[in-house]
Amino acid sequence: MGQSLITAIRDNTGSTRSRFSKKWAKSIPFLLMLPALAVMGLFALFPVINAFRLSLYDKQLLNPGETFVGLDHYSQLFSNGEFINALKVSVIYVAGSVALQFLVGLALAALLSAQGVKGKRFFRTAFILPYTLSELVVSLIWLQMLDTEFGIINYFATLLGADPQNWLFDFALPAVIVANVWWGSTFSLLMLESAMQGIPKELYEAAEVDGCTSWGKFVHITLPSIRYVSLLNMIMITLYTINSFGIIFVLTAGGPLGSTDVIGMFMWRSAFQFMDLGLGATISTIIFVVNILITFVYIRLFGLNTLKEGA
Amino acid sequence: MQKMKVLALVFVMAVMTILAGCGGKSSGSGTSQNNQGGDSTAATSAEPTELTVINQDRWAPYVEKAVKIWNDEHPDKQVKLNQLVLGYPQLRQKITTAAAAGQAPDFSLIDSVWVAEFADAGYLKPLDSIDPEWVENDFKKDFYPVFVNGDSYEGKPYAIRSQTDMALIWFRKDWFSQEGIQPPKTFEELMSASKHFSQKDVQAKYGNSQGIAFPGGLKAGETTTSLLMPFFWSSGADVFKDGKVVLNSPESKAAVQFLADLVNEKASTKEVIAYEWDRATKLLATGKVALSVGGSYEYAMIKNTTGWSDAEMKEKLGFVPIPAGGSGKVATSAGGMDYVIYEKAKQPELAMEILKIVTGPELMKEFVVDTAQNSPRISVTEGLDKEKDWFLAETGNFLYDANVRPVIPEYAKVSEQIQKMIESTVSGKTPVDQAVTEAAKAISDVTGLPQ
Amino acid sequence: MTNRKKSLGIYILMSAAAIAIAFPVLWMFIMSVKPADELYLFPPTIWPDKWEFGNYTKALFEAGIDNGLINSLILAVGTLALSVTLSFPAAYALAKYEFKGKTILLLAILATQLIPGMAAIVPLFDILQRMHLVNTYTGLILIYTARTLPLNIWILKGFFQSIPNELIESSMVDGSSKIASLYRVALPLALPGIGAAAMFTFMQTWIDFILPLTMLFNEDKFPFSVMLYKFVGDPIMGTNYGVLFAAAALGTIPTLLIFALLQRFFVQGLTAGGVKG
């Protein structure tokens, strides 16, 4: 394997001393990818297919049998007011989280990439702190901070002369978005900062000669240069936000009155609270399809070339 | 320098690969270690039998104690305990996924409201199929009748209650006596006391910000149902009767209306719908409210949060069952955690023997006194020190008035409908009439029972 | 605007952001040394009146967080090793070979990330059971590897693309040991990329709790993330936030160290993966 690998690589890089047939050389990349693809196929792709199959069946977690119901679950869901509500709430939650998370990450990355700034390491460590915590810990910290009676946020509010608020009652959705953005921005920051560092200095120098302002440089050089990473980052944080609901689970459990009941929460209730695996699988299949659509929309928005740049 | 980095990386990767490869074997090595202790004495027949258990933090030490008692008494039938300890929020998911995959433990702790659901799915072993004598002579004689019924499904006993708790109105006895108010015995008295403590001048005196607090929505989950169901019972209403959904009744509406009125009359606040399960009584313990609808299980928490001594607790903390509504009778709900043995248990007989020790009078008394929980055994309640364990001795009597929440397989969905009904009316979003009618219909739909 | 004024502005902005972002984490540390009754004071004590280090000893020794941390480390490091080892050749193939359907394959790899994790739990349990891997770290590591491979492949692929073909070629023409020379050239160059991929992998594995909760059946195998839940929602005493945050703080220290030490790696690692100049 080692021998042939090297030879094949050499073939590819232009060497002429190959003793192997072209066919063998062609299969090299697939052999290289095989272990990774096998693991992904079994543990990542199979569950997707399984979820789709299960969505066509009535299957309760606690009962061994299953009955074929066709598309019943789908029609049932789309006539269910709570599911429609969950879709609407999800759109706001995801859009709000992703937009803020990306912008905050971008702003912090721009600050960290500014020229001549000292102590970057220190600041970056401070910015990274939230990302070192798990979802549960993040949620519980915010639960304590947002507490109406004893929370530090209300204490700060009173210091500023405002009345204490019941954040998780009157501002439930914004509150969970803020907690989520606080946690997730670091991820955007890290990806975007590294992209910014890869921009050749000459570009900026040339722009300076042309008399560009800092803002001008940011808009005309930085932003276009980090398009590919931005795309990747947005796709990733969007999918992550759709699929996760840990923060909402702890902070509001979907309430009050369904105002934070995102689709992940809804799925969890169906599958594990009420043991309806078939219904849970249907929701996850719908989420899967939505995720694919969103990915395509992003790629469209950024232009297909952005992807090619990376690929 | 570069070389060093590569070397270090290769080394780390090698170590990691080894670790990844051997992780799975750790259980095997653990078992063999434990076996070695027995080997030295002799006989291979004395190899301990493994018992797998899923339990919660506070309960687990008592199972350990029981196993120790058993092992001391049965040197020839040693038990090795494999106990998995989880928090309440994970218990349901862990047990259901394990049971569904045929990985059930021998016995576990579950919430008493899950018994019917698990039994209906065929996951639980009827206790009388393991030890009919114990069921006749101990279970049916010493446990309060409410538990003998509540832990049976379709006539068969499936679960043993480990402790119990009930819905109460907690109140500040010291404030009440200063204001010359009697403990509430009826809905009217509860309303007027709550309103009294929501007046501005009274609040200025005691520093509270609200009259009464109660968990009023989906956020508090099952707690909402278990603590507010007694309001229905004391109003003469119920969810099911004789195989029918009877929720849609004037009595139910009166109960819901009362809860909504607590908010409408400013004795409480809309925010109760977003309370977590333990918030209402936490507010009481921190002096923010004069009354709360809570569970008897919160006694220890109140003591801990307030820092009061036993004497102060007696002086400052009052409690009554849920006052009488339309039915003219007080009510309370009896909850608690149950031990169950699984159909797929490898050692059902042994599990039963251990459970008989865990839930036997001696260990149960130790457990309930230690955690300030009520006893489901009559003899244990009667044997309590009336001076030292005054709270448990007094509340123990309420158990004769107690009901259990509906014993049906679809309980989780039914409970959610009840929580929603209360959340939407207390918040003022839906009129009481409509909310009760809708909930009754939804409950009829999920259970398949007629109205 | 002079340069000095500008950088002063940047410092002010960064300091404000750092305080706002770091505060909740610092607050967690403060809450972790407060005794239970002090958590329910208003106004809250910014500096604890009484330092309750008992929270830490309770978390570490009574609740077994120490064992949980070791288990988490085994899981995270195991996943890291396997995921990086498998993504390395796959990424190389995707970077240096042309073949039909490559773009589709790249998208398909990404698409495996699109399935909500919750939904996969029951089928995954089923698979592990058939492979007799329930209650083993190997089973969990395989699942985590499948979840972290896509990102690792994407990052490393970008890396390999940035390494010129000639560099690899020339090292091979040297004649010495062939495979060694490839690794000598490619590995060090890809090291920052591996570092970045490693950090993502480590974090994802470290914080996950639903999979170990479902797949493991011995408490002494539970990772830290599952142990943490033991403190949440005690049906008798409620959540003991002091001990909980003490446990959380203990679990944060390893991740914090990794980030603080490897951050430069990380930033470089993504650079090549992301932008091609």
Side-chain angles (χ1 to χ4, degrees):
Chain A
M1 178 73 198
Q3 279 282 344
S4 56
L5 174 73
I6 299 297
T7 322
I9 287 167
R10 210 182 280 180
D11 280 351
N12 193 53
T13 50
S15 168
T16 51
R17 286 192 301 166
S18 168
R19 277 172 295 153
F20 292 89
S21 71
K22 275 200 173 148
K23 220 170 191 180
W24 174 230
K26 257 191 181 168
S27 62
I28 290 291
F30 298 101
L31 285 175
L32 290 173
M33 290 186 295
L34 191 65
L37 292 181
V39 173
M40 280 192 281
L42 187 56
F43 293 99
L45 195 62
F46 173 75
V48 179
I49 298 164
N50 187 70
F52 173 68
R53 194 195 72 89
L54 215 52
S55 74
L56 305 176
Y57 287 83
D58 177 18
K59 167 95 179 98
Q60 305 294 316
L61 182 60
L62 286 181
N63 291 325
E66 53 184 35
T67 17
F68 185 77
V69 294
L71 295 174
D72 277 11
H73 282 139
Y74 292 87
S75 56
Q76 203 181 315
L77 274 176
F78 284 103
S79 58
N80 179 342
E82 279 177 47
F83 181 72
I84 304 296
N85 173 61
L87 283 180
K88 285 182 193 156
V89 174
S90 290
V91 169
I92 303 173
Y93 177 68
V94 173
S97 293
V98 170
L100 285 173
Q101 203 170 312
F102 184 78
L103 289 176
V104 171
L106 185 68
L108 294 176
L111 284 175
L112 277 179
S113 308
Q115 279 168 358
V117 174
K118 294 217 176 68
K120 277 185 188 175
R121 214 185 151 85
F122 169 77
F123 284 111
R124 196 187 291 120
T125 307
F127 295 159
I128 281 173
L129 280 175
Y131 199 59
T132 63
L133 304 176
S134 69
E135 224 170 355
L136 171 72
V137 177
V138 168
S139 318
L140 290 170
I141 293 175
W142 282 90
L143 190 66
Q144 288 293 298
M145 295 207 310
L146 290 166
D147 194 289
T148 321
E149 321 284 336
F150 323 105
I152 186 94
I153 291 182
N154 270 342
Y155 174 61
F156 290 148
T158 52
L159 285 187
L160 297 171
D163 283 333
Q165 300 291 327
N166 188 340
W167 301 101
L168 293 176
F169 179 77
D170 292 312
F171 307 97
L173 192 53
V176 292
I177 291 177
V178 167
N180 189 34
V181 168
W182 175 77
W183 187 45
S185 293
T186 306
F187 181 64
S188 299
L189 155 73
L190 287 172
M191 282 186 84
L192 297 174
E193 192 206 349
S194 68
M196 287 180 191
Q197 295 206 339
I199 304 171
K201 297 265 180 305
E202 305 83 54
L203 284 179
Y204 289 111
E205 282 157 16
E208 230 155 87
V209 174
D210 290 347
C212 265
T213 61
S214 303
W215 179 250
K217 280 189 279 185
F218 183 71
V219 173
H220 295 295
I221 299 172
T222 313
L223 285 184
S225 307
I226 60 169
R227 270 163 57 111
Y228 169 66
V229 176
S230 302
L231 169 68
L232 204 60
N233 181 252
M234 278 207 178
I235 293 177
M236 287 175 66
I237 58 180
T238 306
L239 301 183
Y240 192 80
T241 312
I242 293 176
N243 293 351
S244 73
F245 57 92
I247 290 175
I248 290 183
F249 193 86
V250 175
L251 288 184
T252 64
L257 295 170
S259 60
T260 57
D261 198 18
V262 292
I263 195 159
M265 203 54 234
F266 188 90
M267 179 174 76
W268 181 85
R269 270 207 310 276
S270 310
F272 290 103
Q273 192 70 15
F274 304 141
M275 313 286 167
D276 195 334
L277 275 192
L279 193 64
T282 312
I283 300 166
S284 76
T285 305
I286 294 174
I287 298 179
F288 180 68
V289 174
V290 169
N291 284 347
I292 290 181
L293 291 179
I294 288 177
T295 310
F296 274 110
V297 169
Y298 273 126
I299 293 174
R300 254 276 133 78
L301 282 179
F302 278 79
L304 262 178
N305 287 335
T306 311
L307 189 73
K308 289 249 173 69
E309 254 171 61
Chain B
M1 185 62 205
Q2 202 68 297
K3 216 173 205 169
M4 285 293 287
K5 272 190 189 168
V6 180
L7 273 176
L9 187 87
V10 170
F11 174 73
V12 170
M13 297 230 305
V15 171
M16 291 188 281
T17 319
I18 292 163
L19 280 175
C22 66
K25 287 175 206 144
S26 68
S27 78
S29 61
T31 318
S32 65
Q33 263 175 12
N34 272 323
N35 284 349
Q36 276 161 11
D39 283 352
S40 60
T41 42
T44 41
S45 64
E47 196 150 296
T49 317
E50 190 181 77
L51 211 53
T52 54
V53 176
I54 298 181
N55 212 339
Q56 273 189 256
D57 213 13
R58 282 175 195 278
W59 279 257
Y62 292 87
V63 173
E64 280 165 24
K65 270 186 197 171
V67 168
K68 194 169 174 300
I69 292 172
W70 170 267
N71 283 347
D72 287 348
E73 286 171 4
H74 301 85
D76 54 324
K77 276 202 267 174
Q78 294 286 297
V79 170
K80 184 182 158 285
L81 185 65
N82 174 9
Q83 186 163 230
L84 196 59
V85 181
L86 301 169
Y88 180 82
Q90 286 70 56
L91 203 56
R92 182 174 169 91
Q93 183 173 352
K94 179 75 192 172
I95 292 173
T96 49
T97 42
Q103 291 265 358
D106 286 300
F107 70 83
S108 85
L109 193 71
I110 65 173
D111 194 317
S112 53
V113 291
W114 306 341
V115 172
E117 183 180 20
F118 285 21
D120 187 67
Y123 282 129
L124 304 184
K125 213 172 181 66
L127 301 176
D128 55 1
S129 74
I130 309 173
D131 194 342
E133 207 183 315
W134 178 82
V135 169
E136 280 311 313
N137 298 330
D138 192 9
F139 183 67
K140 289 193 177 164
K141 294 225 167 83
D142 198 27
F143 283 77
Y144 289 91
V146 64
F147 303 121
V148 176
N149 296 329
D151 289 337
S152 297
Y153 178 66
E154 293 183 338
K156 284 185 190 301
Y158 280 99
I160 314 171
R161 192 117 347 174
S162 65
Q163 47 67 246
T164 186
D165 44 61
M166 59 203 98
L168 296 173
I169 303 286
W170 297 109
F171 62 94
R172 288 294 297 262
K173 211 174 179 175
D174 48 344
W175 299 358
F176 269 59
S177 54
Q178 272 190 57
E179 297 295 307
I181 300 174
Q182 293 302 309
K185 290 198 192 61
T186 63
F187 276 14
E188 291 74 31
E189 288 174 14
L190 180 61
M191 179 66 83
S192 71
S194 307
K195 276 164 76 175
H196 181 82
F197 284 100
S198 55
Q199 296 168 67
K200 282 274 168 306
D201 51 329
V202 182
Q203 289 188 352
K205 209 156 135 196
Y206 298 104
N208 63 318
S209 50
Q210 187 177 329
I212 186 169
F214 59 94
L218 288 158
K219 180 78 210 286
E222 192 47 43
T223 310
T224 299
T225 316
S226 76
L227 298 184
L228 300 184
M229 271 312 289
F231 283 87
F232 290 80
W233 296 327
S234 81
S235 303
D238 209 337
V239 184
F240 300 103
K241 203 181 175 196
D242 304 328
K244 277 186 175 166
V245 180
V246 294
L247 182 67
N248 196 358
S249 66
E251 291 84 7
S252 300
K253 286 170 188 167
V256 178
Q257 189 64 56
F258 177 75
L259 294 169
D261 282 347
L262 284 175
V263 171
N264 296 337
E265 308 263 334
K266 305 267 188 286
S268 192
T269 151
K270 266 183 199 183
E271 294 165 14
V272 295
I273 67 169
Y275 280 4
E276 280 162 86
W277 65 276
D278 60 347
R279 173 141 206 122
T281 304
K282 210 141 230 172
L283 292 175
L284 180 105
T286 49
K288 300 284 179 194
V289 297
L291 306 100
S292 76
V293 182
S296 59
Y297 50 82
E298 289 167 321
Y299 182 86
M301 185 275 286
I302 297 173
K303 193 162 186 287
N304 202 35
T305 309
T306 55
W308 290 341
S309 66
D310 279 324
E312 279 173 308
M313 286 293 277
K314 217 166 175 173
E315 189 189 308
K316 292 180 176 171
L317 181 69
F319 50 88
V320 287
I322 305 304
S327 78
K329 276 192 269 180
V330 299
T332 190
S333 60
M337 300 298 287
D338 278 346
Y339 281 113
V340 292
I341 298 175
Y342 290 85
E343 186 60 50
K344 291 246 173 75
K346 292 189 185 75
Q347 307 289 341
E349 284 82 15
L350 199 54
M352 188 72 212
E353 290 304 319
I354 299 296
L355 281 182
K356 274 154 71 177
I357 305 173
V358 177
T359 62
E362 273 164 45
L363 274 188
M364 182 179 284
K365 184 174 175 191
E366 208 179 305
F367 178 57
V368 296
V369 169
D370 190 38
T371 55
Q373 300 292 298
N374 286 102
S375 156
R377 277 185 185 270
I378 299 166
S379 67
V380 171
T381 309
E382 283 170 353
L384 288 170
D385 184 336
K386 302 244 169 352
E387 274 303 303
K388 226 173 97 241
D389 304 316
W390 62 280
F391 173 73
L392 297 182
E394 275 183 43
T395 45
N397 294 326
F398 298 168
L399 282 173
Y400 289 106
D401 293 322
N403 269 321
V404 289
R405 284 158 277 168
V407 183
I408 45 159
E410 299 86 357
Y411 178 75
K413 286 179 186 168
V414 172
S415 177
E416 195 209 15
Q417 292 303 329
I418 293 170
Q419 293 159 33
K420 269 189 201 153
M421 170 177 81
I422 290 163
E423 178 166 319
S424 66
T425 46
V426 166
S427 64
K429 187 186 160 208
T430 318
V432 171
D433 222 35
Q434 185 193 340
V436 175
T437 311
E438 282 174 5
K441 185 181 174 301
I443 290 173
S444 169
D445 284 349
V446 297
T447 56
L449 297 172
Q451 289 213 42
Chain C
M1 194 159 48
T2 67
N3 258 349
R4 176 162 289 190
K5 258 191 191 159
K6 205 169 100 184
S7 58
L8 189 68
I10 289 175
Y11 279 121
I12 290 173
L13 274 175
M14 287 219 289
S15 306
I19 291 169
I21 290 171
F23 179 77
V25 181
L26 301 178
W27 190 235
M28 172 186 84
F29 280 100
I30 291 169
M31 286 192 285
S32 73
V33 290
K34 281 187 179 183
D37 50 347
E38 212 180 312
L39 286 166
Y40 297 103
L41 287 182
F42 194 88
T45 46
I46 303 281
W47 199 251
D49 286 340
K50 230 178 11 189
W51 289 67
E52 180 59 76
F53 287 110
N55 289 341
Y56 278 85
T57 50
K58 221 180 255 173
L60 253 185
F61 305 117
E62 282 173 41
I65 283 290
D66 52 346
N67 192 33
L69 287 171
I70 295 172
N71 294 339
S72 289
L73 204 63
I74 296 175
L75 276 175
V77 171
T79 306
L80 211 146
L82 191 61
S83 189
V84 171
T85 311
L86 295 187
S87 55
F88 194 80
Y92 188 88
L94 286 163
K96 293 294 177 196
Y97 290 88
E98 283 309 322
F99 51 87
K100 249 194 195 160
K102 192 163 123 180
T103 314
I104 302 281
L105 188 64
L106 273 168
L107 286 176
I109 289 173
L110 207 57
T112 59
Q113 296 262 26
L114 304 185
I115 185 82
M118 264 337 266
I121 286 176
V122 175
L124 284 175
F125 196 111
D126 199 40
I127 297 174
L128 289 197
Q129 207 165 22
R130 278 163 211 252
M131 298 173 72
H132 300 287
L133 289 177
V134 169
N135 202 17
T136 65
Y137 289 151
T138 314
L140 280 174
I141 288 171
L142 282 169
I143 300 175
Y144 287 135
T145 301
R147 291 201 175 165
T148 49
L149 272 173
L151 184 64
N152 289 349
I153 290 178
W154 275 72
I155 292 177
L156 286 178
K157 178 183 73 77
F159 237 94
F160 287 126
Q161 278 169 333
S162 71
I163 303 175
N165 283 349
E166 301 79 51
L167 200 60
I168 295 170
E169 204 178 332
S170 67
S171 74
M172 272 180 290
V173 178
D174 277 355
S176 63
S177 164
K178 286 167 188 168
I179 188 112
S181 67
L182 170 72
Y183 272 78
R184 203 184 301 151
V185 175
L187 248 186
L189 283 169
L191 216 50
I194 293 174
M199 264 168 78
F200 276 126
T201 310
F202 190 89
M203 278 312 293
Q204 275 203 32
T205 315
W206 188 265
I207 65 175
D208 182 64
F209 108 96
I210 199 87
L211 278 171
L213 173 71
T214 317
M215 309 296 172
L216 297 179
F217 285 86
N218 287 79
E219 200 188 18
D220 51 12
K221 287 187 191 170
F222 275 176
F224 159 76
S225 54
V226 180
M227 303 286 247
L228 206 51
Y229 271 81
K230 270 208 324 206
F231 304 108
V232 183
D234 178 324
I236 295 173
M237 297 299 287
T239 302
N240 186 342
Y241 282 100
V243 181
L244 178 99
F245 286 130
L250 287 169
T252 306
I253 292 166
T255 45
L256 204 63
L257 280 178
I258 287 182
F259 267 96
L261 295 175
L262 295 184
Q263 53 168 286
R264 226 198 31 227
F265 245 5
F266 181 85
V267 171
Q268 285 174 14
L270 283 169
T271 309
V275 191
K276 300 213 298 122

